Amino acid sequence: MSGIALIFHRDASPSDPDSLMRMMSASPDRARDGAGQFTSGPVDLGHQMLHTTLESIAESQPFVDRPSGLCISMDGRVDNRAELVRDVNQHPEAGDAELVLRCYQRWGPACAHRIVGDFAFAIWDPRERRVFLVRDAMGIKPLYYYADSRIFLAASELTQIVAHPGVSPCVNEALAAEYLACAMTGAEETLYRGIYRLPPAHSLTVTAAGLIKRRYFDIDAAKTIRYQRDEDYSDHFLEIFSEAVRCRLRSQTAAGVFLSGGVDSSSVAGVACRLRKPLDAFSMVFPGEACDESAFIGDMVVKSGVRSHTAGASGKNAAEYLAQVRRFNDFPDYPNGAMSNSLSQVALQKECRVILTGLGGDEWLMGSHYGYADLLKRLKVRSLARKLRANARAGGGRFSWRTLLRFGLWPLLPKSAQTIAGGFLDRNRIPSWIDARFAARTGLAERLRQDTPTPPFPTLAQKDLYSVYASGWRVHALEMEERSASSFGMEQRHPFSDRRLLEFALALPEDQRWRDDRTKFVLRQAMRPILPESIRERRSKAEFSSVFLKAFQRNGGAHSFENLPIAAAGWVDQREVERKYRRMENEHRSGSLGYTRHTCPLWMVFGINLWFDAVVSRNAVGGP
């Protein structure tokens, strides 16, 4: 992962290369292959380089076009290079940053929509006296910013903004409340007031007069894909998916894949093996644990011929989580995300800087329970009954009236009736472990009631899938993955999180995503010749609640929730948190431990408490 750092003196004061260096020094892992700075008038622009493509080896950033004075710092990869090279008459071997700058020279800010790939970039335009920033449509590459009347700052990491001497960070209690409620309603706020993330698919134009944020890409809700045969859908999907994998195999070193044994990562590995051999696959194993997927991994290794490398889970201890919070000035890793550290170390030993993952398959292809409401709305009662029976079989024969009410009837109720139904379904209630006064002060109830604005899709299922794309949770998860990879000098790439694949998936009829008891139907059809049947027809998923429990036990168990600083600050109810931990342990002993009921909320309490104690309390970060 490369890195960006920028200072723009909006008040026309002179450049400040020392402060820029301070920002870049806050993220040393991003400069594995060097760093560069550009200073001109009111602008300081920095770049930290990690070579991940052949073109990047000869690339020098920040890249400056001497005749115009334009300068760019870019983290990322352009996937439609051939098209853009032709359109801007550029040399085919030019680096991606130079290619993007040429696009800006030709189309100005409108260039953002034309670029396909995973990227974040900042351009200084001296003639217009403006800074132009863009984050890719899927939000794979992070970009944070801060602005006041004097300066504008942008960087690849939150901690770089905090490191600038002109920033006095203040805690954003409202977002902390959302973390504690396991709900992130937006994709812009951070744990510090005044420091923001640029949302996916947005550009930001900054001048002395102000900031203008624009969405440059969105899903076309009117687009539909309709074929006569299932084979036509699966063939079309395989064409797009193969191109997404091919683009992400573009690497100056060997590229590998994280192989879990699930349908998504196995599909990535299978298609990647068809495009490039030999291919290294890296897998976590949990001998004796319910979440161990070694048998599926073994089936995929035999079917595809990948070179398999495995690692056992090695979780972080309290000191490591604390060091991470201080390093990033942010929330710590999740235990199941921290496990990839072991795999990253193995991958580095094999000289793999680029790793492909299966992230994104669940989001776009799993289907939506709101399909119940769509069937009811169209009076497709028999189809609904078949779907309910199939889903009951998939769930072990259990039918849930609550699920039908929540996803079938509730979306069709008038707004006036949804408040009553919402109370019955426990929607948007303040969690019991959050202090009621803190919730009131932060407006948590109002935040939880916020609906994600969606384009006018014809079905509720499509609107639901779009809300996942637009959710703050998804952006947060991607940034945590990116942050983890960057600390190892690696880059994760996610073929399922490809803008073109997202557009295709949301244009499909629902029964291509979810048919009877089979989710990801179109993917399973497309993978017939590629996956072993044990994986292609797999209905189960590994469940990692026990990994979280072990992380708690490794960090003191119940003692880690005693005398919480965030309880003393009035954020959470100490007794309720302790009760919740005891319930989690009881569920584990009875074999019914679930992620959403106790494990996730407790990890959010653990993480926010660690951040509050290490960053807020002890470093005099300002309060509200």
Side-chain angles (χ1 to χ4, degrees):
M1 299 290 184
S2 296
I4 300 167
L6 176 140
I7 304 173
F8 174 34
H9 295 269
R10 299 174 64 203
D11 60 0
S13 60
S15 60
D16 185 6
D18 290 341
S19 292
L20 182 69
M21 182 58 69
R22 184 168 173 174
M23 291 174 65
M24 294 170 69
S25 298
S27 58
D29 297 325
R30 294 181 178 272
R32 299 293 175 112
D33 296 313
Q37 291 181 250
F38 167 83
T39 296
S40 177
V43 168
D44 299 284
L45 186 56
H47 184 81
Q48 296 167 288
M49 176 64 77
L50 176 71
H51 296 314
T52 58
T53 66
L54 284 172
E55 293 82 4
S56 68
I57 296 175
E59 190 174 47
S60 177
Q61 289 198 54
F63 176 82
V64 182
D65 177 66
R66 297 298 176 188
S68 65
L70 289 167
C71 181
I72 183 172
S73 180
M74 173 179 167
D75 170 27
R77 184 193 71 256
V78 175
D79 288 341
N80 59 334
R81 280 180 55 87
E83 171 192 347
L84 296 178
V85 163
R86 181 191 65 242
D87 289 347
V88 300
N89 195 28
Q90 183 65 16
H91 194 281
E93 296 181 0
D96 286 2
E98 181 180 358
L99 182 58
V100 168
L101 191 65
R102 302 304 177 205
C103 291
Y104 177 82
Q105 284 181 297
R106 175 161 182 180
W107 296 300
C111 71
H113 181 78
R114 295 174 176 265
I115 304 167
V116 177
D118 304 335
F119 52 81
F121 62 80
I123 293 175
W124 164 239
D125 187 335
R127 293 178 181 174
E128 299 292 337
R129 305 289 292 179
R130 71 185 177 197
V131 169
F132 181 63
L133 303 104
V134 177
R135 186 174 185 181
D136 65 82
M138 303 301 291
I140 305 301
K141 297 294 186 177
L143 195 57
Y144 300 89
Y145 69 92
Y146 165 89
D148 61 28
S149 60
R150 299 181 303 103
I151 60 171
F152 173 85
L153 310 174
S156 296
E157 290 187 12
L158 178 66
T159 193
Q160 294 173 287
I161 305 290
V162 174
H164 189 279
V167 175
S168 299
C170 294
V171 60
N172 182 0
E173 286 193 339
L175 189 64
E178 291 191 11
Y179 270 82
L180 293 169
C182 297
M184 296 183 198
T185 61
E188 296 189 54
E189 290 183 86
T190 71
L191 287 169
Y192 303 93
R193 288 191 290 118
I195 303 178
Y196 301 94
R197 50 172 58 87
L198 186 62
H202 280 73
S203 67
L204 186 66
T205 301
V206 186
T207 65
L211 284 65
I212 301 175
K213 182 177 61 181
R214 291 190 177 94
R215 173 178 282 278
Y216 68 84
F217 166 81
D218 208 348
I219 301 296
D220 181 0
K223 181 179 178 181
T224 59
I225 296 173
R226 298 293 182 267
Y227 294 127
Q228 293 296 318
R229 305 180 309 151
D230 287 337
E231 291 82 357
D232 295 328
Y233 288 107
S234 59
D235 288 348
H236 191 175
F237 171 84
L238 185 57
E239 177 186 351
I240 295 173
F241 184 59
S242 297
E243 175 62 11
V245 173
R246 186 193 67 78
C247 291
R248 285 158 181 80
L249 286 172
R250 179 177 155 230
S251 172
Q252 57 97 4
T253 63
V257 60
F258 281 165
L259 175 62
S260 71
V263 176
D264 299 334
S265 67
S266 298
S267 297
V268 172
V271 172
C273 274
R274 288 188 159 198
L275 297 170
R276 175 185 290 185
K277 285 188 177 181
L279 183 75
D280 291 286
F282 305 93
S283 306
M284 292 297 304
V285 292
F286 304 85
E289 296 279 350
C291 58
D292 184 63
E293 299 178 278
S294 296
F296 296 108
I297 293 166
D299 290 347
M300 190 61 206
V301 170
V302 172
K303 177 73 173 180
S304 65
V306 297
R307 298 185 299 200
S308 178
H309 311 279
T310 61
S314 58
K316 288 182 170 66
N317 57 38
E320 290 173 309
Y321 281 118
L322 180 61
Q324 189 180 58
V325 167
R326 289 173 174 166
R327 156 69 175 85
F328 294 107
N329 282 285
D330 204 355
F331 195 79
D333 271 350
Y334 294 88
N336 55 338
M339 294 185 308
S340 65
N341 293 349
S342 300
L343 289 185
S344 296
Q345 290 170 347
V346 176
L348 282 179
Q349 293 171 4
K350 299 299 177 181
E351 300 184 346
C352 285
R353 282 192 172 188
V354 170
I355 298 292
L356 277 62
T357 83
L359 291 178
D362 286 348
E363 285 87 336
W364 327 133
L365 298 173
M366 184 73 81
S368 169
H369 280 100
Y370 286 99
Y372 297 156
D374 289 320
L375 291 173
L376 277 175
K377 187 177 181 180
R378 293 159 52 202
L379 301 179
K380 299 285 187 179
V381 179
R382 290 184 179 180
S383 297
L384 174 62
R386 286 197 303 270
K387 191 175 186 69
L388 289 170
R389 285 196 296 269
N391 293 342
R393 289 195 302 270
R398 299 184 301 274
F399 173 74
S400 171
W401 282 104
R402 192 181 187 85
T403 299
L404 178 59
L405 289 171
R406 179 186 289 271
F407 299 106
L409 297 177
W410 185 85
L412 303 180
L413 292 175
K415 288 292 183 182
S416 58
Q418 286 185 359
T419 301
I420 300 173
F424 176 72
L425 296 172
D426 294 332
R427 289 179 60 88
N428 304 332
R429 286 187 177 179
I430 300 300
S432 61
W433 57 92
I434 297 178
D435 185 276
R437 289 165 297 183
F438 178 67
R441 186 169 76 243
T442 57
L444 181 58
E446 292 76 13
R447 283 174 168 256
L448 295 179
R449 283 195 291 268
Q450 290 179 6
D451 290 326
T452 302
T454 60
F457 289 104
T459 72
L460 290 165
Q462 287 172 297
K463 291 181 179 180
D464 182 39
L465 294 177
Y466 181 90
S467 71
V468 174
Y469 161 64
S471 74
W473 264 115
R474 190 185 72 87
V475 175
H476 167 73
L478 286 169
E479 289 175 352
M480 297 292 278
E481 291 289 336
E482 195 272 353
R483 192 182 77 180
S484 176
S486 70
S487 66
F488 285 91
M490 300 177 65
E491 182 173 77
Q492 287 190 16
R493 298 177 180 173
H494 318 295
F496 282 104
S497 291
D498 184 287
R499 163 176 149 183
R500 297 160 294 188
L501 192 142
L502 171 67
E503 292 179 289
F504 173 84
L506 263 68
L508 290 172
E510 178 66 5
D511 71 349
Q512 288 296 319
R513 292 185 289 265
W514 187 355
R515 182 177 299 183
D516 297 330
D517 64 342
R518 286 192 292 178
T519 60
K520 306 178 185 178
F521 181 79
V522 68
L523 172 63
R524 295 176 193 273
Q525 293 296 101
M527 293 297 118
R528 279 185 181 276
I530 297 174
L531 297 184
E533 286 298 289
S534 61
I535 296 176
R536 195 181 73 85
E537 290 294 342
R538 182 181 177 185
R539 303 295 196 273
S540 63
K541 288 181 70 68
E543 210 280 326
F544 291 100
S545 292
S546 61
V547 174
F548 280 71
L549 178 61
K550 288 183 177 180
F552 291 132
Q553 293 170 339
R554 191 183 303 112
N555 287 280
H559 295 299
S560 62
F561 294 100
E562 295 174 352
N563 302 314
L564 296 170
I566 57 173
W571 288 14
V572 298
D573 183 320
Q574 178 77 50
R575 292 183 179 178
E576 183 60 28
V577 171
E578 292 173 348
R579 281 195 293 267
K580 200 163 190 64
Y581 186 85
R582 289 194 294 271
R583 292 190 196 108
M584 180 183 68
E585 288 194 321
N586 290 336
E587 284 192 0
H588 175 65
R589 283 191 288 268
S590 66
S592 60
L593 181 62
Y595 177 72
T596 56
R597 284 192 303 274
H598 304 306
T599 312
C600 178
L602 283 169
W603 190 260
M604 306 314 281
V605 170
F606 177 86
I608 286 294
N609 184 73
L610 195 64
W611 168 77
F612 182 91
D613 191 36
V615 177
V616 180
S617 299
R618 302 186 184 184
N619 291 301
V621 171

